Amino acid sequence: MKFIQTRGFDANKAEKVTFSEAILSPIASFGGLYVPEELPQLGEEFLNKHLNSSYKELAKDMLSRFEIDIDSAVIDEALNLYDKFDDVSNPVPVVKVKENLYISELYHGPTRAFKDMALQPFGVVLSSIAQRLNENYLILAATSGDTGPAALETFKNRANVKVACMYPDGGTSDVQRLQMVTEDAKNLKVIGIHGVFDDAQNALKHLLASESFKEVLAQKDTKLSAANSVNFGRIIFQIIYHIHSYLELVRQNGIVMGEKVYLNVPSGNFGNALGGYYAWKMGLPVAKIIISSNENNVLTKLIRDGKYDIRDCAVVGTTSPAMDILKSSNVERVLYDLFGTQRTKELMFDLEEQNFYELTSKELHKLREYFDADFCNGDEGKKYIKEIFEEYHYLMDPHTATCMKSYETCSNPEIKTIAYSTAEWTKFSPVIANALTGEKDAQDIKALESISKVAGLKIPTMISALFSKEIAQKTIIEKENIESEILKFL
């Protein structure tokens, strides 16, 4: 399969590239992104075939339908990392919470967040390509809290790869920060910046598109790639768990094969939602994808009103910080799929130059055929955490809690909903402790212990051990100094 470009192509890049080329150099012409030339069609025959398959069997067959240019042995090695998740037989449990609501738990990997689902195998794939080509790569990662730990975990000590990970200082939970700054592998660099996630992501995109930066890297015998979901190597693995979650509902007799469901996804950088959208376009029976936001509700306004408007906007710090984002990169891939190259280029240039674009009424109608949206503020989220725990004894993190609001406002109760839990309770314990017990300003370790006692849950060793590990990464800089800091690391 070949991959094409969302904004068309210029003379500097090939019109079509292979999967491995799209992974290694993820920013396409005019600052666009790579997308499959066409999506493989799976259909009910594929779903029935995998009704009794393991997660790895499902994943390998789905990847084979994309005809990616990755050796079968490398794919097996990558998928075998799912064996390190909590349950070897089922890395993604789907739990029934109430009659029409199921939670797909995507956080059972090593960093306790859904980014492990894609980044664990992605690290193996990218490193193997670099070794095959005998090339060295600098992998950039910008994180609002979960991508960073997952990227560092998957790439540490891997051959032919170095990682520079940028995060907003003060903009993540303590556990997320500790997961990054305690990493001591020589091929990893963690950079805290005075700013917000969008600053880190803008720096990442600027460096990926910068010819002068690439020239300096070339002098150091190094090429450039990225671990963010601008990289389709991330997205391809995020399609799989949507298919798996649907099959789990069939296996649990929650639905019959072919019955449509809602996919309710916390917003973030839109990679999770994009994986569901692609699964739908490939044949998964979906009624609608519901986007759940926090107070940074740019996507709610886009899907309801057709306006992507971040003029005079600043990121609001919330209780669900991994979603404190204004520019969600993967919306571009949906725009391309719905409206084509030229229109996508126009809209994205408007967003970059004016911080605004507006869909026509016809375009908005088409977008709303696939998506609906609502947002949930922090107090509402804590109320849902407490209510769901007390009534159903199910504990969710504040990002998952945003789905409860949109479940009530956007869903037809006759249709089953799969909501996606993107992080374990341990990642955001002060918020959850406050929701359950009312305690305020508790440090993470105290909050973890409090929740453990109230909920009868054990704190995973990989979390509790963080608080006694030495801080290995101490760099915190102004965002203007990111490039020089990375070059110093190299």
Side-chain angles (χ1 to χ4, degrees), residues 169-208:
D169 181 46
T172 69
S173 75
D174 275 355
V175 165
Q176 290 171 318
R177 180 182 61 82
L178 287 171
Q179 285 178 318
M180 292 185 281
V181 300
T182 57
E183 288 282 11
D184 60 0
K186 299 299 182 186
N187 68 326
L188 306 179
K189 177 66 177 179
V190 178
I191 302 171
I193 64 168
H194 297 302
V196 296
F197 169 75
D198 284 84
D199 296 320
Q201 180 163 259
N202 288 339
L204 176 143
K205 288 184 173 180
H206 166 74
L207 292 174
L208 288 174

Side-chain angles (χ1 to χ4, degrees), residues 212-224:
S212 61
F213 184 62
K214 290 175 187 174
E215 287 172 8
V216 176
L217 292 186
Q219 295 169 13
K220 300 175 183 293
D221 192 30
T222 299
K223 294 188 174 183
L224 189 61

Side-chain angles (χ1 to χ4, degrees), residues 244-314:
H244 163 83
S245 299
Y246 182 90
L247 292 173
E248 275 290 290
L249 259 66
V250 177
R251 288 190 276 261
Q252 295 176 25
N253 296 316
I255 58 172
V256 298
M257 184 65 77
E259 185 177 341
K260 291 185 177 182
V261 298
Y262 291 115
L263 307 181
N264 191 322
V265 185
S267 59
N269 213 21
F270 217 73
N272 197 344
L274 179 69
Y277 175 79
Y278 281 152
W280 185 356
K281 295 298 289 279
M282 290 161 65
L284 195 70
V286 176
K288 194 155 283 192
I289 299 169
I290 298 170
I291 304 301
S292 302
S293 297
N294 60 19
E295 291 93 326
N296 297 290
N297 59 335
V298 177
L299 294 176
T300 306
K301 295 173 183 175
L302 171 67
I303 292 165
R304 286 182 174 178
D305 305 328
K307 297 178 182 179
Y308 205 119
D309 190 357
I310 53 174
R311 295 171 296 186
D312 304 317
C313 276

Side-chain angles (χ1 to χ4, degrees), residues 210-239:
S210 170
E211 293 304 320
S212 61
F213 184 62
K214 290 175 187 174
E215 287 172 8
V216 176
L217 292 186
Q219 295 169 13
K220 300 175 183 293
D221 192 30
T222 299
K223 294 188 174 183
L224 189 61
S225 188
N228 278 54
S229 58
V230 294
N231 197 316
F232 198 84
R234 279 268 308 274
I235 300 301
I236 199 168
F237 288 104
Q238 292 185 263
I239 300 169

Side-chain angles (χ1 to χ4, degrees), residues 28 31 89 98 146 185 222 378 459:
S89 66
K98 53 173 86 172
D146 284 331
T222 299
I459 304 170

